[in-house]
Amino acid sequence: MAPEIASVQDDIDFGRRDVFSDTSTSLIISNSGNKDLSISNAFLSGTGQAHFNLRTEIDSDTLLVPHETMDFKIEFLPNARALLTSTLNIVSNDPNTDTLKILIKGRGVAADLSVSPFPIDFGNVLKLQNAQKEVVIENSGERPLDVYTFYLENGEESEFTLITDSTAFNNIDSSESRSIQIGIDAETEGTFSDQLIIVSNDYLEDTIRVDISARVVTPGISYGCLLYTSDAADEEDSVDLGGRRII
């Protein structure tokens, strides 16, 4: 005759849950033996234990008579996009299983915005010419990405222009992308900069700033000279270039 700890589940799987959300579930433990079961401790362990909470408190008087059950409440609070695991350890006076171990797992998911190129560099742009750059916004996360707005920080004072309408890009699915066209009217020589501001439901940064730069230069002027090979050239007014004379 002895106590015997038992669980209706071998593991707890929270599935896919939004990052920074809070989900809870219960694990039922029972005494399937014929003597009182004394539970002396319960705790979480493992690399991902920071993403889980055990809400059930254990004290020295925690006893389960034969066939009695007890609920253990566990919370999942993911703060990373990853598969997260921990182990629930329940210590008792069961002579065969002094520590019952239950695997707990869940995956944190979210929208994750990536921008390419980052930063946006037009390089050298010839004066009085127009140049454009395509900026690709991609959802590298698992949840739909909503881009609420995007704009240039300098607004109407900017040397750059948003060719793409700044209407929100909603419901960009995982691995899908959208394009933003940015242009510059190179009317004035010099070095120019601005920032593209993107506001979205990205799980880490709801506002992303992308540096934009360009250098407007004047087209170079090349100068030529008359070359000929006449032997009658005046030696005093010419320079010998290996058989050729330049006046």
Side-chain angles (χ1 to χ4, degrees), residues 125 127-128 159 186-192 215-219:
V125 179
K127 185 178 178 180
L128 302 181
E159 297 291 333
E187 297 181 355
T188 306
E189 187 174 350
T191 300
F192 303 98
R215 183 186 180 199
V216 178
V217 297
T218 301

Side-chain angles (χ1 to χ4, degrees), residues 14-60:
F14 282 91
R16 292 157 58 98
R17 301 294 175 180
D18 289 341
V19 171
F20 306 128
S21 67
D22 182 350
T23 308
S24 62
T25 191
S26 293
L27 174 73
I28 299 176
I29 297 297
S30 65
N31 178 10
S32 59
N34 48 23
K35 292 192 68 173
D36 290 353
L37 178 71
S38 174
I39 299 176
S40 57
N41 195 12
F43 60 93
L44 297 174
S45 63
T47 57
Q49 71 178 88
H51 303 275
F52 301 90
N53 280 334
L54 176 60
R55 290 303 186 188
T56 301
E57 297 184 359
I58 300 297
D59 56 41
S60 58

